[in-house]
């Protein structure tokens, strides 16, 4: 297992100008963030990786200049955080065994330990950097059940767990007060693709006594070479009274231009208070339903209520990729609450949104977004923004 050391530094720099109205407050601003990956390759299977975001604090405060706050005065906010957002060692036990013993291993057992990113169900169920470890049983098969290929991953964390039910002494979310244990699997079977998982959040310190269970399952398949569908189910229950359930159906029509012209229709229904297992951005379970449900992680771009708390709705849109050299998306979306529980939307919400992206060259990317959101019995939200991204 020879050493093949190599250091790579890469990432992107994003700068956006936006004018947003959120909950009756207008803000015009220019904001910037730097995403910096540092990767130290040790062997063909082992590496140390770190991720830095030095121009922001957490995922809500970015270095910015606000020049339209309503008082006529500009305000500069410089945010700085030199600490790594992820820092982990990744490798394979089989390769390490072969290298140290000189005997070829008959197994693969990839693992990770440290502050590592957990990203499951396309980031809906889990999207956070957690402090702990994970190990995977990869590329298995089971002829008796007709499983051609499946993986099983066991993960655990003991700090940096961003879960909405984990609170500190002040009653606000605190990611230092829990342990996390879970398992997830990816299966090719039944003419489709299955993803399922279970996670348990155990409170510690100020959250001692908390015990929450999170379940998820998804099935993805193409039907009659006409429609691609992913149906996802989420459930959370435990001893804090914040149980919740949600179903999300993601659908895209297979057109005569299957790689570039993509009509889509995504729908959801949620009961009580469905929540992600972990999410470092504080986003809700609906963040991937459509472009009107996601913010930009930079300027506070407005979004529809993404909690799915006692509500149903969805998004219908069209994505066109031209010759795979640019992108345009137009979308209509809505949220229809059937109960005012004080958590999600109080009244119906509707939105029209659009997005355009084009690479200016191999390094620079231009993007523009616009949304207008009608909130019943409340002031409408809207946002318009342009962004330059420099990749390196």
């Amino acid at each position: 297992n020879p050493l093949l050391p190599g250091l790579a530094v890469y990432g992107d720099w994003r700068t956006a100008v936006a004018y947003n109205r959120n909950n009756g407050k207008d803000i015009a601003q220019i904001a910037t963030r730097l995403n910096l990956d540092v990767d130290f390759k040790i062997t063909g299977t082992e590496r140390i990786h770190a991720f830095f975001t030095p121009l922001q604090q957490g995922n809500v405060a970015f270095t910015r200049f606000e020049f339209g706050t309503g008082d006529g005065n500009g305000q500069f906010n410089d945010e700085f955080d030199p600490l790594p957002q992820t820092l982990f060692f990744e490798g394979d036990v089989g390769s390490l065994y072969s290298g140290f013993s000189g005997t070829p291993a008959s197994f693969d057992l990839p693992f990770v330990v440290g502050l590592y990113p957990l990203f499951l169900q396309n980031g809906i169920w889990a999207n956070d950097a957690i402090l702990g470890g994970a190990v995977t049983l990869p590329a298995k098969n089971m002829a008796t059940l007709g499983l051609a290929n499946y993986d099983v991953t066991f993960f655990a964390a003991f700090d940096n767990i961003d879960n909405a039910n984990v609170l500190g002494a002040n009653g606000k979310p605190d990611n230092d007060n829990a342990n996390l244990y879970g398992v997830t699997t990816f299966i090719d079977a039944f003419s489709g693709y299955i993803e399922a998982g279970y996670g348990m959040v155990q409170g510690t310190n100020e959250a001692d006594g908390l015990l929450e269970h999170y379940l998820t399952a998804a099935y993805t398949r193409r039907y009659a070479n006409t429609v691609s569908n992913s149906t996802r189910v989420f459930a959370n229950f435990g001893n804090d009274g914040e149980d919740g359930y949600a179903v999300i159906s993601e659908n895209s029509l297979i057109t005569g231009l299957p790689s570039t012209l993509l009509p889509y229709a995504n729908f959801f229904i949620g009961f009580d208070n469905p929540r992600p297992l972990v999410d470092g951005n504080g986003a809700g379970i609906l963040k991937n339903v459509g472009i009107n449900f996601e913010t930009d992680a930079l300027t506070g771009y407005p979004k529809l209520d993404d909690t799915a708390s006692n509500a149903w709705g969805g998004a219908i849109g069209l994505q066109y990729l031209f010759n795979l050299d640019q992108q345009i998306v137009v979308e209509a979306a809505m949220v229809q609450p059937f109960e005012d529980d004080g958590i999600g939307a109080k009244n119906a919400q509707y939105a029209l949104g659009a997005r355009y992206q084009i690479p200016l060259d191999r390094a620079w990317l231009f993007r523009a977004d616009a949304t207008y959101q009608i909130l019943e019995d409340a002031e409408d939200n809207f946002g318009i923004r342009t962004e330059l991204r420099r990749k390196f």
Side-chain angles (χ1 to χ4, degrees):
N1 195 17
L3 296 179
L4 299 169
L7 179 65
V9 179
Y10 55 93
D12 61 11
W13 176 35
R14 299 174 54 194
T15 302
V17 179
Y19 186 89
N20 301 322
R21 173 176 291 174
N22 255 322
N23 301 318
K25 183 179 180 181
D26 290 32
I27 295 181
Q29 62 177 293
I30 179 170
T32 191
R33 66 177 290 176
L34 178 65
N35 301 316
L36 191 62
D37 287 275
V38 180
D39 192 272
F40 179 63
K41 173 185 174 184
I42 303 172
T43 72
T45 54
E46 280 68 49
R47 67 171 182 155
I48 297 173
H49 189 90
F51 176 64
F52 297 87
T53 55
L55 300 182
Q56 65 191 71
Q57 287 285 345
N59 289 300
V60 294
F62 301 88
T63 296
R64 65 199 183 277
F65 179 71
E66 299 176 355
F67 54 88
T69 59
D71 58 9
N73 296 318
Q75 180 179 351
F76 178 71
N77 298 274
D78 57 328
E79 308 289 349
F80 181 70
D81 182 3
L83 299 178
Q85 304 304 302
T86 68
L87 178 59
F88 57 88
F89 175 78
E90 185 177 64
D92 180 79
V93 174
S95 295
L96 289 172
Y97 171 80
S98 297
F100 284 115
S101 68
T103 303
S106 60
F107 64 93
D108 295 317
L109 192 64
F111 70 94
V112 63
V113 63
L115 182 62
Y116 68 97
L118 187 67
F119 189 86
L120 300 170
Q121 290 278 13
N122 280 346
I124 301 174
W125 193 55
N127 185 15
D128 193 19
I130 56 178
L131 183 61
V135 63
T136 294
L137 305 175
K140 302 297 181 181
N141 62 79
M142 188 179 299
T144 55
L145 295 180
L147 306 182
N149 179 57
Y150 70 91
D151 295 345
V152 180
T153 297
F154 301 90
F155 57 89
F158 309 100
D159 200 356
N160 214 65
I161 299 165
D162 291 288
N163 178 283
N165 289 332
V166 179
L167 307 177
N170 58 1
K172 296 182 179 180
D174 189 331
N175 63 12
D176 296 326
N177 291 329
N179 296 326
L180 171 66
Y181 309 94
V183 59
T184 185
T185 183
F186 308 86
I187 307 171
D188 292 316
F190 309 113
S191 302
Y193 176 77
I194 299 169
E195 182 177 355
Y198 165 76
M200 181 180 72
V201 175
Q202 177 189 51
T204 61
N205 303 323
E206 287 85 353
D208 188 34
L210 174 72
L211 188 63
E212 288 289 302
H213 306 276
Y214 292 78
L215 292 169
T216 185
Y219 179 63
T220 300
R221 182 178 174 180
R222 176 177 291 184
Y223 295 91
N225 205 34
T226 302
V227 175
S228 293
N229 168 265
S230 293
T231 299
R232 307 181 189 274
V233 180
F234 305 90
N236 53 279
F237 52 92
N239 61 5
D240 73 338
E242 294 292 345
D243 300 350
Y245 312 88
V247 179
I248 300 175
S249 177
E250 303 168 351
N251 306 274
S252 62
L253 184 65
I254 302 170
T255 67
L257 300 171
S259 298
T260 57
L261 185 62
L262 306 170
Y264 64 89
N266 303 329
F267 307 100
F268 73 88
I269 185 168
F271 302 92
D272 298 326
N273 189 15
R275 287 175 168 173
L277 174 65
V278 286
D279 192 292
N281 299 310
I285 208 82
L286 302 179
K287 57 194 169 190
N288 285 357
V289 166
I291 62 173
N292 288 295
F293 289 90
E294 62 181 34
T295 185
D296 65 347
L298 189 57
T299 70
Y301 188 71
K303 61 180 180 178
L304 295 180
D305 179 79
D306 62 358
T307 64
S309 179
N310 289 314
W312 64 275
I316 298 176
L318 177 67
Q319 177 179 214
Y320 183 47
L321 301 176
F322 297 85
N323 292 317
L324 296 177
D325 57 353
Q326 51 189 313
Q327 176 200 46
I328 187 169
V329 184
V330 292
E331 178 189 280
M334 73 172 183
V335 175
Q336 294 283 343
F338 49 80
E339 180 181 329
D340 181 7
D341 55 9
I343 298 173
K346 294 182 178 181
N347 302 101
Q349 300 181 352
Y350 307 90
L352 290 174
R355 173 176 299 164
Y356 177 71
Q357 292 190 86
I358 184 171
L360 303 179
D361 58 27
R362 297 182 64 181
W364 289 94
L365 177 74
F366 172 80
R367 169 176 159 180
D369 298 86
T371 184
Y372 192 92
Q373 301 169 1
I374 301 172
L375 313 181
E376 287 191 358
D377 298 326
E379 190 170 350
D380 294 349
N381 290 339
F382 67 83
I384 184 169
R385 63 185 295 278
T386 60
E387 176 182 323
L388 275 177
R389 176 178 294 193
R390 175 64 162 85
K391 298 183 178 182
F392 56 88

